[in-house]
PDB file of all heavy atoms in Angstrom:
ATOM      1  N   VAL P 157     -40.326 -56.307 -53.326  1.00 95.00           N
ATOM      2  CA  VAL P 157     -41.403 -56.812 -54.177  1.00 95.00           C
ATOM      3  C   VAL P 157     -41.509 -55.978 -55.444  1.00 95.00           C
ATOM      4  O   VAL P 157     -41.651 -56.504 -56.550  1.00 95.00           O
ATOM      5  CB  VAL P 157     -42.745 -56.851 -53.397  1.00 95.00           C
ATOM      6  CG1 VAL P 157     -43.919 -57.099 -54.330  1.00 95.00           C
ATOM      7  CG2 VAL P 157     -42.697 -57.900 -52.309  1.00 95.00           C
ATOM      8  N   GLY P 158     -41.436 -54.657 -55.309  1.00 94.00           N
ATOM      9  CA  GLY P 158     -41.503 -53.776 -56.474  1.00 94.00           C
ATOM     10  C   GLY P 158     -40.378 -54.030 -57.449  1.00 94.00           C
ATOM     11  O   GLY P 158     -40.587 -54.090 -58.664  1.00 94.00           O
ATOM     12  N   LEU P 159     -39.155 -54.192 -56.947  1.00 94.00           N
ATOM     13  CA  LEU P 159     -38.010 -54.474 -57.827  1.00 94.00           C
ATOM     14  C   LEU P 159     -38.133 -55.835 -58.501  1.00 94.00           C
ATOM     15  O   LEU P 159     -37.775 -55.988 -59.673  1.00 94.00           O
ATOM     16  CB  LEU P 159     -36.703 -54.388 -57.035  1.00 94.00           C
ATOM     17  CG  LEU P 159     -36.254 -52.967 -56.646  1.00 94.00           C
ATOM     18  CD1 LEU P 159     -35.034 -53.030 -55.734  1.00 94.00           C
ATOM     19  CD2 LEU P 159     -35.969 -52.125 -57.878  1.00 94.00           C
ATOM     20  N   ALA P 160     -38.644 -56.824 -57.785  1.00 92.00           N
ATOM     21  CA  ALA P 160     -38.827 -58.160 -58.369  1.00 92.00           C
ATOM     22  C   ALA P 160     -39.863 -58.106 -59.502  1.00 92.00           C
ATOM     23  O   ALA P 160     -39.650 -58.687 -60.569  1.00 92.00           O
ATOM     24  CB  ALA P 160     -39.264 -59.155 -57.298  1.00 92.00           C
ATOM     25  N   LEU P 161     -40.963 -57.443 -59.271  1.00 88.00           N
ATOM     26  CA  LEU P 161     -41.985 -57.323 -60.320  1.00 88.00           C
ATOM     27  C   LEU P 161     -41.465 -56.523 -61.516  1.00 88.00           C
ATOM     28  O   LEU P 161     -41.739 -56.859 -62.665  1.00 88.00           O
ATOM     29  CB  LEU P 161     -43.252 -56.666 -59.755  1.00 88.00           C
ATOM     30  CG  LEU P 161     -44.040 -57.511 -58.768  1.00 88.00           C
ATOM     31  CD1 LEU P 161     -45.177 -56.705 -58.167  1.00 88.00           C
ATOM     32  CD2 LEU P 161     -44.551 -58.779 -59.423  1.00 88.00           C
ATOM     33  N   TYR P 162     -40.697 -55.487 -61.262  1.00 89.00           N
ATOM     34  CA  TYR P 162     -40.107 -54.695 -62.347  1.00 89.00           C
ATOM     35  C   TYR P 162     -39.133 -55.542 -63.163  1.00 89.00           C
ATOM     36  O   TYR P 162     -39.120 -55.473 -64.396  1.00 89.00           O
ATOM     37  CB  TYR P 162     -39.397 -53.466 -61.781  1.00 89.00           C
ATOM     38  CG  TYR P 162     -38.777 -52.597 -62.830  1.00 89.00           C
ATOM     39  CD1 TYR P 162     -39.546 -51.740 -63.603  1.00 89.00           C
ATOM     40  CD2 TYR P 162     -37.396 -52.630 -63.065  1.00 89.00           C
ATOM     41  CE1 TYR P 162     -38.976 -50.950 -64.574  1.00 89.00           C
ATOM     42  CE2 TYR P 162     -36.817 -51.837 -64.026  1.00 89.00           C
ATOM     43  CZ  TYR P 162     -37.611 -50.991 -64.786  1.00 89.00           C
ATOM     44  OH  TYR P 162     -37.041 -50.221 -65.763  1.00 89.00           O
ATOM     45  N   GLY P 163     -38.356 -56.355 -62.509  1.00 87.00           N
ATOM     46  CA  GLY P 163     -37.385 -57.202 -63.196  1.00 87.00           C
ATOM     47  C   GLY P 163     -38.044 -58.313 -64.017  1.00 87.00           C
ATOM     48  O   GLY P 163     -37.497 -58.758 -65.022  1.00 87.00           O
ATOM     49  N   MET P 164     -39.227 -58.769 -63.590  1.00 85.00           N
ATOM     50  CA  MET P 164     -39.891 -59.865 -64.308  1.00 85.00           C
ATOM     51  C   MET P 164     -40.850 -59.389 -65.390  1.00 85.00           C
ATOM     52  O   MET P 164     -41.468 -60.209 -66.061  1.00 85.00           O
ATOM     53  CB  MET P 164     -40.676 -60.721 -63.309  1.00 85.00           C
ATOM     54  CG  MET P 164     -39.798 -61.513 -62.381  1.00 85.00           C
ATOM     55  SD  MET P 164     -40.703 -62.682 -61.350  1.00 85.00           S
ATOM     56  CE  MET P 164     -42.042 -61.761 -60.723  1.00 85.00           C
ATOM     57  N   ARG P 165     -40.977 -58.093 -65.600  1.00 77.00           N
ATOM     58  CA  ARG P 165     -41.989 -57.606 -66.539  1.00 77.00           C
ATOM     59  C   ARG P 165     -41.794 -58.124 -67.966  1.00 77.00           C
ATOM     60  O   ARG P 165     -42.754 -58.345 -68.683  1.00 77.00           O
ATOM     61  CB  ARG P 165     -42.032 -56.091 -66.540  1.00 77.00           C
ATOM     62  CG  ARG P 165     -40.851 -55.441 -67.214  1.00 77.00           C
ATOM     63  CD  ARG P 165     -40.849 -53.935 -67.064  1.00 77.00           C
ATOM     64  NE  ARG P 165     -39.786 -53.328 -67.815  1.00 77.00           N
ATOM     65  CZ  ARG P 165     -38.506 -53.339 -67.459  1.00 77.00           C
ATOM     66  NH1 ARG P 165     -38.149 -53.923 -66.341  1.00 77.00           N
ATOM     67  NH2 ARG P 165     -37.585 -52.781 -68.211  1.00 77.00           N
ATOM     68  N   ASP P 166     -40.554 -58.367 -68.389  1.00 70.00           N
ATOM     69  CA  ASP P 166     -40.293 -58.881 -69.732  1.00 70.00           C
ATOM     70  C   ASP P 166     -40.295 -60.409 -69.781  1.00 70.00           C
ATOM     71  O   ASP P 166     -40.289 -60.990 -70.851  1.00 70.00           O
ATOM     72  CB  ASP P 166     -38.954 -58.355 -70.249  1.00 70.00           C
ATOM     73  CG  ASP P 166     -39.030 -56.881 -70.609  1.00 70.00           C
ATOM     74  OD1 ASP P 166     -40.148 -56.410 -70.895  1.00 70.00           O
ATOM     75  OD2 ASP P 166     -37.982 -56.209 -70.584  1.00 70.00           O
ATOM     76  N   ALA P 167     -40.293 -61.062 -68.624  1.00 74.00           N
ATOM     77  CA  ALA P 167     -40.280 -62.520 -68.598  1.00 74.00           C
ATOM     78  C   ALA P 167     -41.671 -63.109 -68.762  1.00 74.00           C
ATOM     79  O   ALA P 167     -41.809 -64.284 -69.068  1.00 74.00           O
ATOM     80  CB  ALA P 167     -39.675 -63.009 -67.273  1.00 74.00           C
ATOM     81  N   ILE P 168     -42.690 -62.297 -68.614  1.00 74.00           N
ATOM     82  CA  ILE P 168     -44.054 -62.785 -68.752  1.00 74.00           C
ATOM     83  C   ILE P 168     -44.414 -62.814 -70.234  1.00 74.00           C
ATOM     84  O   ILE P 168     -44.252 -61.835 -70.948  1.00 74.00           O
ATOM     85  CB  ILE P 168     -45.036 -61.879 -67.973  1.00 74.00           C
ATOM     86  CG1 ILE P 168     -44.719 -61.924 -66.492  1.00 74.00           C
ATOM     87  CG2 ILE P 168     -46.474 -62.296 -68.227  1.00 74.00           C
ATOM     88  CD1 ILE P 168     -45.475 -60.922 -65.671  1.00 74.00           C
ATOM     89  N   SER P 169     -44.875 -63.961 -70.693  1.00 75.00           N
ATOM     90  CA  SER P 169     -45.255 -64.109 -72.093  1.00 75.00           C
ATOM     91  C   SER P 169     -46.742 -64.472 -72.146  1.00 75.00           C
ATOM     92  O   SER P 169     -47.122 -65.592 -71.837  1.00 75.00           O
ATOM     93  CB  SER P 169     -44.416 -65.219 -72.752  1.00 75.00           C
ATOM     94  OG  SER P 169     -44.800 -65.383 -74.095  1.00 75.00           O
ATOM     95  N   LEU P 170     -47.562 -63.533 -72.537  1.00 84.00           N
ATOM     96  CA  LEU P 170     -48.994 -63.743 -72.583  1.00 84.00           C
ATOM     97  C   LEU P 170     -49.384 -64.530 -73.832  1.00 84.00           C
ATOM     98  O   LEU P 170     -48.762 -64.401 -74.871  1.00 84.00           O
ATOM     99  CB  LEU P 170     -49.722 -62.400 -72.571  1.00 84.00           C
ATOM    100  CG  LEU P 170     -49.456 -61.529 -71.341  1.00 84.00           C
ATOM    101  CD1 LEU P 170     -50.114 -60.180 -71.496  1.00 84.00           C
ATOM    102  CD2 LEU P 170     -49.959 -62.201 -70.092  1.00 84.00           C
ATOM    103  N   LYS P 183     -48.656 -54.234 -78.319  1.00 88.00           N
ATOM    104  CA  LYS P 183     -47.629 -53.313 -78.762  1.00 88.00           C
ATOM    105  C   LYS P 183     -46.569 -54.047 -79.583  1.00 88.00           C
ATOM    106  O   LYS P 183     -46.231 -55.193 -79.294  1.00 88.00           O
ATOM    107  CB  LYS P 183     -46.934 -52.637 -77.580  1.00 88.00           C
ATOM    108  CG  LYS P 183     -47.771 -51.645 -76.858  1.00 88.00           C
ATOM    109  CD  LYS P 183     -46.988 -50.796 -75.864  1.00 88.00           C
ATOM    110  CE  LYS P 183     -45.938 -51.552 -75.101  1.00 88.00           C
ATOM    111  NZ  LYS P 183     -45.247 -50.780 -74.084  1.00 88.00           N
ATOM    112  N   GLY P 185     -43.131 -55.347 -80.611  1.00 88.00           N
ATOM    113  CA  GLY P 185     -41.952 -55.700 -79.826  1.00 88.00           C
ATOM    114  C   GLY P 185     -42.257 -56.398 -78.514  1.00 88.00           C
ATOM    115  O   GLY P 185     -41.340 -56.905 -77.877  1.00 88.00           O
ATOM    116  N   ARG P 186     -43.497 -56.437 -78.103  1.00 88.00           N
ATOM    117  CA  ARG P 186     -43.872 -57.121 -76.839  1.00 88.00           C
ATOM    118  C   ARG P 186     -43.878 -58.622 -77.049  1.00 88.00           C
ATOM    119  O   ARG P 186     -44.540 -59.124 -77.948  1.00 88.00           O
ATOM    120  CB  ARG P 186     -45.272 -56.649 -76.418  1.00 88.00           C
ATOM    121  CG  ARG P 186     -45.840 -57.392 -75.238  1.00 88.00           C
ATOM    122  CD  ARG P 186     -45.438 -56.727 -73.943  1.00 88.00           C
ATOM    123  NE  ARG P 186     -46.239 -57.239 -72.854  1.00 88.00           N
ATOM    124  CZ  ARG P 186     -45.761 -58.007 -71.895  1.00 88.00           C
ATOM    125  NH1 ARG P 186     -44.498 -58.346 -71.901  1.00 88.00           N
ATOM    126  NH2 ARG P 186     -46.525 -58.428 -70.921  1.00 88.00           N
ATOM    127  N   LYS P 187     -43.128 -59.367 -76.241  1.00 89.00           N
ATOM    128  CA  LYS P 187     -43.042 -60.818 -76.383  1.00 89.00           C
ATOM    129  C   LYS P 187     -44.361 -61.456 -75.980  1.00 89.00           C
ATOM    130  O   LYS P 187     -44.840 -61.230 -74.867  1.00 89.00           O
ATOM    131  CB  LYS P 187     -41.924 -61.387 -75.512  1.00 89.00           C
ATOM    132  CG  LYS P 187     -40.555 -60.964 -75.930  1.00 89.00           C
ATOM    133  CD  LYS P 187     -39.532 -61.534 -74.971  1.00 89.00           C
ATOM    134  CE  LYS P 187     -38.177 -60.931 -75.199  1.00 89.00           C
ATOM    135  NZ  LYS P 187     -37.211 -61.361 -74.194  1.00 89.00           N
ATOM    136  N   VAL P 188     -44.950 -62.224 -76.887  1.00 91.00           N
ATOM    137  CA  VAL P 188     -46.202 -62.933 -76.609  1.00 91.00           C
ATOM    138  C   VAL P 188     -46.163 -64.303 -77.280  1.00 91.00           C
ATOM    139  O   VAL P 188     -45.246 -64.604 -78.066  1.00 91.00           O
ATOM    140  CB  VAL P 188     -47.444 -62.147 -77.114  1.00 91.00           C
ATOM    141  CG1 VAL P 188     -47.595 -60.841 -76.369  1.00 91.00           C
ATOM    142  CG2 VAL P 188     -47.384 -61.923 -78.599  1.00 91.00           C
TER     143      VAL P 188
END
Side-chain angles (χ1 to χ4, degrees):
V157 169
L159 288 174
L161 291 174
Y162 181 77
M164 291 188 313
R165 73 186 185 285
D166 288 336
I168 298 171
S169 179
L170 300 175
K183 289 191 321 184
R186 173 89 166 110
K187 294 178 191 174
V188 296

